[in-house]
């Protein structure tokens, strides 16, 4: 009898495993077939690809070229700037890109044009290729130059800063622009995953050296020399045929070789434009996708489907299609979108294939790593959760990671400040700049405090170099440090969905409320902004502060255990050292939480039971603060006493105007946040956060937390810190960091109310509509911000 039961159980288990395997293998097979079909259809279209060399979008194609250059392709046309006027308007309707020279008046302060101003044309900030104290050169893109009129004005170098004084410019001079680059002795132009068949390559080039010496220019295609360039001092169009025999891989690499002239740069050939056009070829060569592109595409699709399949197997089966089947349908739609991108935008679509393959490897590793980590973290809450809950939470994590990571891998993505931060890390690593950045005279302190926000005599506020010290480790990877910095920041950001879920479960909220809080964080537009701004130290500091708060909630009853203290103290120390502002947030949070626990201890046994946790909390905090002072902050005691405290007393008692900073009235300052809370860009505003609906439910959701003493007090301390720095931000520059600090709490409070709305269909539709609005608005913001990224001049 027992043997019979064992056999039935064994057969049932084997059948279940076989069914699960077939439920993954069959969708993967059909996905692979579908991917091949889509790629074949996509590569039947053979586009013309044009690279405007010297333009902002050329860097993804070029290797070993000199920096971008722009000059006038004709005479300048001069327009006088009226004396004392803030702007000047001139006729437009101009074709192509234009170069503008803004000339300063002889008596103008040279620092204004050189450093403290930027140029705007028709209200849009434009690129300034070069400037001095007396001249500013401005590049006007073709779409702006085509406007009926062009209105020039000088604006603050810092968005939202103080407008430069009127009367600085003397005249505006315009000329049609020519953009170009000089090649070196061995420069390359890459068109990866272009397609098979024959092509024509066209170059607009000047094959001549400034001193008339021989150039000896040669062109190689995929390693085979096809032409020697005729020497000529004028810009000429050169064409050569690339036979299908050289395009078997589907990749096109144009190598430009020359004997360089040194000025001291190695100057080879001046190239203004490169174009590649298809030539009629036999059908098989033009239909079949490049072998490497096909292989990588199959790996990407099957690999990303495998990530989802590892998670969806734990979800409940549905009547029509199980979760794995829906994952396959979703991936099929993604494949269709990718095929469309290859047809309409062969580049940068083709350049994304290799990057997405690398992302797939990372995604597989993350999926395998996050499953046990998430289970371990959720066990610390003491709440038993279903496998379906963990799977859904990790799907939210993974999809959120993909949406942001794909944007970061776009060839023209620029996290605005990332290069600046990684430059400091490189200087520490290669130039021995650590003593300078570690001193009280560190340029980090002053360069992050613009005159418009702090005045010409700012206080001494430590800008800890510890983020940059730790970021030197990024140099071990074979790709740019900026890429590593972006992705480390991204992983910190998307892992917040798991931390928020853990806080919600520990607080006694339902699994549905925990998921709603996590999903809300994942779709908020505001979470995309720090990535496009490149505020990687801020993102790291915010993540560490949330990790501290999560630890306090999850391990409150065990904070006195040495096993907890041995890693909690280093966590606090990192929080204090990595980013000064969020370190201050955390220190004040601990103080406020302590006061609130003391004040509420009389309310009953549940509240009084929190008192024993204060001692180990302060033991850890005191140890971390003492170490932070000994390691870095102790050297600032004297300059803070001598300069910072008098500055702060002046600002908070007599107003910021006394230090040369202009601030609006307090109510106007508070009202200025309102346009940013919506889901679109208002006129004359440049950003939005997408927080309006969750904020409406914040107060009732926060009030509903009062039944959970520890959560209630942690949330109260959390909100108090944000409120204190909101008020402080009226007097000193905070750049909305208190709002970013508060976002996880906003998500938790909103989720409590959304969970209650979910029980009825109208409420459920409202919650889903809110999440859909947030996601759509976030993706629009992400795409829009990437499209206007200020590309580095490389």
């Amino acid at each position: 009898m027992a043997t019979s039961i064992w056999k039935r159980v064994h057969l049932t288990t084997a059948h279940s495993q076989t069914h699960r395997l077939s439920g993954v293998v069959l969708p993967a097979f059909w996905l692979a077939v579908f991917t091949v079909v889509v790629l074949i259809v996509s590569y039947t279209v053979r586009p013309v690809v044009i690279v405007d060399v010297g333009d902002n979008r050329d860097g993804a194609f070029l290797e070993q070229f000199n920096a971008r250059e722009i000059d006038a392709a004709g005479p300048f046309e001069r327009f006088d700037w009226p004396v004392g006027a803030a702007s000047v308007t001139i006729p437009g309707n101009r074709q192509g890109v234009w170069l503008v020279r803004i000339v300063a008046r002889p008596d103008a302060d040279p620092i204004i044009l050189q450093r403290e101003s930027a140029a705007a044309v028709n209200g849009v900030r434009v690129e300034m290729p070069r400037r001095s104290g007396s001249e500013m050169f401005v590049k006007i893109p073709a779409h702006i130059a085509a406007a009926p009129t062009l209105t020039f004005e000088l604006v603050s170098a810092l968005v939202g800063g103080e407008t430069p004084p009127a009367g600085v410019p003397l005249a505006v001079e315009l000329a049609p622009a020519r953009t170009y680059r000089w090649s070196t002795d061995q420069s390359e132009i890459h068109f990866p995953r272009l397609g098979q068949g024959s092509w024509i390559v066209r170059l607009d080039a000047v094959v001549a050296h400034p001193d008339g010496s021989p150039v000896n220019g040669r062109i190689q295609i995929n390693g085979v020399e096809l032409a020697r360039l005729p020497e000529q001092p004028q810009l000429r169009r050169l064409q050569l045929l690339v036979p299908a025999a050289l395009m078997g891989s589907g990749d096109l690499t144009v190598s430009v070789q020359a004997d360089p002239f040194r000025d001291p740069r190695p100057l080879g050939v001046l190239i203004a434009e490169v174009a590649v056009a298809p030539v009629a070829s036999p059908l098989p060569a033009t239909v079949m996708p490049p072998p490497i592109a096909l292989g990588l595409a199959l790996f990407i699709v099957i690999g990303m489907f495998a990530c989802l399949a590892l998670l969806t197997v734990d979800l409940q089966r549905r009547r029509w299609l199980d979760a794995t089947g829906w994952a396959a349908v979703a991936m099929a739609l993604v494949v269709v979108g990718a095929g469309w991108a290859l047809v309409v935008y062969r580049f940068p679509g083709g350049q994304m294939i290799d990057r997405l393959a690398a992302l797939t490897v990372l995604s597989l590793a993350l999926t395998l790593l996050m499953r046990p980590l998430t289970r371990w973290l959720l066990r610390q809450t003491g709440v038993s959760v279903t496998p379906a809950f963990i799977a859904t939470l990790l799907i939210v994590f993974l999809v959120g990671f993909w949406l942001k990571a794909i944007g970061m891998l776009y060839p023209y993505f620029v996290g605005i400040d990332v290069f600046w931060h990684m430059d400091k890390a490189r200087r520490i690593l290669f130039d021995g700049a650590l003593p300078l950045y570690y001193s009280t005279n560190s340029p980090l302190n002053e360069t992050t405090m613009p005159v418009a926000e702090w005045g010409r005599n700012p206080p001494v506020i430590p800008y800890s170099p510890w983020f940059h010290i730790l970021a030197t480790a990024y140099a071990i990877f074979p790709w740019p440090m900026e890429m590593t910095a972006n992705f480390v920041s991204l992983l910190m950001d998307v892992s917040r969905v798991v931390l928020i879920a853990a806080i919600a479960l520990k607080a006694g909220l339902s699994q549905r409320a925990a998921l709603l809080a996590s999903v809300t964080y994942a779709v908020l537009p505001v979470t995309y902004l720090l990535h496009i701004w490149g505020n990687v130290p801020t993102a790291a500091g915010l993540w560490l502060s949330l990790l501290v708060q999560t630890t306090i909630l999850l391990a409150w009853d065990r904070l006195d255990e040495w096993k907890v203290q041995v890693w909690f103290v280093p966590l606090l120390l990192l929080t204090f050292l990595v980013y000064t502002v969020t370190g201050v947030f955390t220190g004040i949070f601990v103080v406020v939480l302590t006061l609130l626990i003391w004040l509420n201890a009389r309310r009953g046994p549940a509240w009084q039971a929190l008192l024993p946790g204060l001692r180990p909390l302060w033991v850890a905090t005191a140890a971390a603060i003492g170490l932070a002072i000994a390691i870095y902050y102790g050297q600032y005691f004297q300059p803070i006493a001598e300069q910072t405290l008098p500055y702060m007393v002046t600002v908070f008692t007599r107003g910021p105007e006394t230090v040369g900073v202009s601030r609006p009235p307090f109510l106007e300052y508070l009202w200025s946040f309102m346009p940013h809370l919506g889901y679109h860009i208002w006129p004359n505003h440049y950003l939005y956060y997408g927080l309006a609906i969750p904020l409406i439910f914040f107060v009732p959701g926060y009030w509903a937390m009062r039944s959970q003493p520890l959560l209630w007090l942690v949330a109260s301390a959390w909100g108090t810190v944000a409120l204190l720095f909101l008020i402080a931000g009226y007097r000193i520059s905070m750049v909305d960091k208190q709002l970013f600090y508060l976002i996880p709490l906003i998500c938790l409070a909103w989720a409590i109310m959304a969970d209650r709305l979910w029980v009825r269909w109208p409420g459920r539709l409202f919650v889903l509509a809110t999440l859909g609005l947030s996601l759509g608005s976030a993706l629009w913001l992400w795409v829009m911000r990437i499209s206007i990224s200020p590309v580095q001049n490389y």
Side-chain angles (χ1 to χ4, degrees):
M1 181 68 177
T3 303
S4 177
I5 293 174
W6 182 87
K7 286 183 178 179
R8 287 200 299 272
V9 170
H10 177 73
L11 289 172
T12 302
T13 304
H15 175 75
S16 175
Q17 291 174 344
T18 303
H19 179 75
R20 282 191 174 189
L21 186 61
S22 65
V24 173
V25 173
L26 284 178
F29 172 76
W30 289 114
L31 261 179
V33 172
F34 185 69
T35 301
V36 173
V37 172
V38 169
L39 274 184
I40 290 175
V41 172
S42 301
Y43 272 99
T44 57
V45 178
R46 306 177 72 213
V48 176
V49 182
I50 299 174
V51 180
D52 184 1
V53 179
D55 188 66
N56 288 348
R57 300 307 194 206
D58 69 349
F61 297 88
L62 307 181
E63 185 177 343
Q64 296 300 318
F65 272 77
N66 286 294
R68 298 185 182 98
E69 296 188 44
I70 183 172
D71 60 20
F76 280 95
E77 183 181 4
R78 184 182 178 93
F79 298 89
D80 291 332
W81 193 301
V83 178
S87 65
V88 62
T89 300
I90 65 174
N93 293 318
R94 299 169 187 268
Q95 301 299 314
V97 179
W98 285 72
L99 182 66
V100 177
R101 180 166 57 200
I102 299 177
V103 183
R105 296 185 182 277
D107 57 346
D109 185 352
I111 198 173
I112 295 175
L113 212 60
Q114 184 173 359
R115 196 173 65 184
E116 294 186 355
S117 63
V121 182
N122 292 352
V124 179
R125 288 171 176 260
V126 291
E127 182 182 347
M128 295 161 291
R130 54 188 180 270
R131 53 171 143 181
S132 64
S134 59
E135 293 181 337
M136 174 191 291
F137 285 88
V138 173
K139 177 184 174 183
I140 306 181
H143 68 279
I144 294 180
T149 59
L150 302 176
T151 299
F152 293 84
E153 59 182 327
L154 293 184
V155 296
S156 171
L158 178 73
V159 174
E162 187 175 355
T163 302
V168 173
L170 173 67
V172 172
E173 300 175 351
L174 290 86
R178 178 181 68 176
T179 61
Y180 60 91
R181 288 182 190 248
W182 283 95
S183 70
T184 59
D185 57 339
Q186 175 75 42
S187 300
E188 293 184 341
I189 308 162
H190 297 284
F191 297 90
R193 321 305 175 226
L194 175 64
Q196 300 185 80
S198 300
W199 298 82
I200 286 180
V201 175
R202 186 188 75 219
L203 291 91
D204 292 351
V206 175
V207 188
H209 284 328
D211 66 344
S213 60
V215 177
N216 192 23
R218 291 94 64 199
I219 294 290
Q220 287 186 352
I221 301 295
N222 291 344
V224 177
E225 184 172 310
L226 288 190
R228 289 185 172 269
L229 302 180
E231 310 263 339
Q232 40 80 27
Q234 295 82 28
L235 186 68
R236 289 180 55 187
R237 178 158 295 176
L238 309 172
Q239 292 191 142
L240 64 156
L241 173 67
V242 180
L246 294 180
M247 294 296 296
S249 67
D251 298 341
L252 175 62
T253 297
V254 181
S255 299
V256 182
Q257 300 174 345
D259 296 339
F261 165 81
R262 298 188 177 273
D263 75 340
R265 299 171 301 163
L267 303 183
V269 177
L270 184 154
I271 299 178
E273 184 176 278
V274 180
V276 179
V279 179
S281 304
L283 187 61
T286 58
V287 170
M288 290 304 297
I292 298 177
L294 179 59
L296 290 178
L298 288 172
F299 173 73
I300 293 165
V301 173
I302 301 305
M304 290 193 169
F305 172 70
C307 293
L308 293 175
L310 284 171
L311 303 175
T312 54
V313 292
D314 290 329
L315 297 179
Q316 182 180 356
R317 289 181 55 80
R318 301 297 179 186
R319 180 177 179 182
W320 298 108
L321 196 64
D322 63 16
T324 305
W326 283 114
V329 171
M331 286 303 304
L333 293 175
V334 171
V335 170
V336 172
W340 169 84
L342 280 173
V343 171
V344 180
Y345 303 104
R346 179 60 51 89
F347 293 99
Q351 295 165 326
M352 289 291 290
I353 295 176
D354 300 66
R355 297 170 181 233
L356 292 177
L359 177 63
T360 302
V361 174
L362 179 59
S363 300
L364 287 165
L366 277 177
T367 304
L368 295 174
L369 178 64
M370 286 300 295
R371 290 180 77 190
L373 280 179
T374 302
R375 289 169 179 164
W376 173 85
L377 180 65
L378 297 184
R379 281 199 301 270
Q380 309 311 306
T381 66
V383 178
S384 177
V385 296
T386 64
F389 172 83
I390 297 176
T392 307
L393 180 62
L394 287 176
I395 289 172
V396 173
F397 164 85
L398 194 61
V399 174
F401 170 70
W402 284 343
L403 291 176
K404 294 175 181 176
I406 290 172
M408 288 182 173
L409 291 175
Y410 187 70
Y412 309 123
F413 172 86
V414 175
I416 297 171
D417 288 341
V418 170
F419 182 85
W420 188 90
H421 290 293
M422 292 304 99
D423 180 63
K424 302 303 173 287
R426 280 188 286 265
R427 289 178 182 273
I428 290 173
L429 189 61
F430 302 115
D431 298 340
L434 180 58
L436 174 63
Y437 293 146
Y438 218 83
S439 69
T440 56
N441 295 320
S442 169
L444 294 174
N445 297 344
E446 294 185 5
T447 54
T448 56
M449 302 173 71
V451 172
E453 296 185 357
W454 294 93
R456 295 193 179 274
N457 296 298
V460 176
I461 296 180
Y463 191 112
S464 172
W466 269 95
F467 172 84
H468 305 92
I469 294 172
L470 297 174
T472 57
Y474 299 164
I476 66 175
F477 298 105
W479 46 80
M481 294 175 68
E482 287 77 8
M483 180 72 75
T484 306
N486 282 326
F487 268 81
V488 170
S489 181
L490 172 58
L491 290 174
M492 290 179 179
D493 173 42
V494 295
S495 67
R496 283 178 160 215
V497 300
V498 180
L499 298 178
I500 290 171
I503 292 174
L505 293 173
K506 182 65 175 182
L509 305 185
S510 68
Q511 293 183 41
R512 184 170 62 204
L515 282 176
L516 286 170
S518 296
V519 172
T520 300
Y521 182 85
V523 302
L524 285 178
V526 67
T527 65
Y528 288 75
L529 283 173
L530 283 182
H531 298 303
I532 201 64
W533 291 340
N535 292 356
V536 282
T538 303
L542 291 169
W543 181 75
L544 287 168
S545 65
L546 179 62
L547 202 56
V548 167
Q549 290 155 325
T550 305
T551 301
I552 289 174
L553 274 164
L554 268 57
W556 183 261
D557 297 330
R558 298 184 288 116
L559 284 179
D560 57 344
E561 297 178 8
W562 71 269
K563 292 181 180 180
V564 176
Q565 289 280 321
V566 78
W567 60 264
F568 187 46
V569 172
L571 173 61
L572 282 167
L573 178 61
L574 272 177
T575 306
F576 293 139
L577 286 178
V578 164
Y579 191 59
T580 304
V581 174
T582 50
V584 172
F585 282 6
T586 300
I588 295 177
F589 169 82
V590 172
V591 172
V592 174
L593 178 62
T594 301
L595 293 174
L596 291 176
I597 290 176
W598 280 343
L599 292 173
N600 287 274
R602 308 177 197 173
R603 297 180 59 180
W607 302 84
Q608 194 171 12
L610 300 177
L611 285 172
L614 287 178
R615 182 178 179 277
L617 173 64
W618 270 103
V619 168
T621 304
I625 291 176
L627 287 171
I629 291 173
I631 292 172
Y632 177 67
Y633 290 107
Q635 62 183 323
Y636 280 92
F637 283 176
Q638 181 176 348
I640 286 176
E642 294 177 351
Q643 294 176 245
T644 305
L645 291 181
Y647 178 95
M648 294 299 179
V649 169
T650 300
V651 167
F652 282 98
T653 58
R654 298 168 53 194
E657 294 79 8
T658 57
V659 295
V661 178
S662 176
R663 295 285 184 188
F666 184 67
L667 291 180
E668 184 179 335
Y669 159 75
L670 292 179
W671 182 254
S672 67
F673 286 93
M674 298 304 293
H676 304 324
L677 300 178
Y679 298 87
H680 69 287
I681 294 179
W682 287 32
N684 300 320
H685 290 274
Y686 62 94
L687 83 164
Y688 61 84
Y689 295 145
L691 286 169
I693 296 176
L695 273 177
I696 292 173
F697 292 88
F698 177 73
V699 172
Y702 162 72
W703 186 250
M705 296 178 187
R706 68 190 186 283
S707 60
Q708 299 291 331
L710 184 57
L711 175 66
W712 169 256
L713 296 180
V714 167
S716 300
W718 203 335
T720 300
V721 172
L723 180 62
L724 287 174
F725 281 92
L726 172 68
I727 297 172
Y730 176 61
R731 297 295 190 183
I732 58 175
S733 176
M734 288 301 303
V735 199
D736 299 351
K737 290 183 175 65
Q738 69 280 358
L739 182 62
F740 289 94
Y741 174 76
L742 192 64
I743 289 170
L745 183 60
I746 294 173
C747 294
L748 287 165
W750 145 259
I752 293 173
M753 305 311 297
D755 188 36
R756 297 180 182 182
L757 292 170
W758 193 268
V759 297
R760 296 182 181 274
W761 274 106
R764 186 174 302 185
L765 291 175
F766 172 75
V767 172
L768 291 175
T770 299
L771 297 177
L773 171 65
S774 296
L775 178 59
S777 185
L779 293 179
W780 186 88
L781 175 68
W782 189 228
V783 172
M784 182 271 293
R785 286 284 185 169
I786 292 174
S787 70
I788 62 173
S789 290
V791 179
Q792 300 290 343
N793 187 26
Y794 56 88

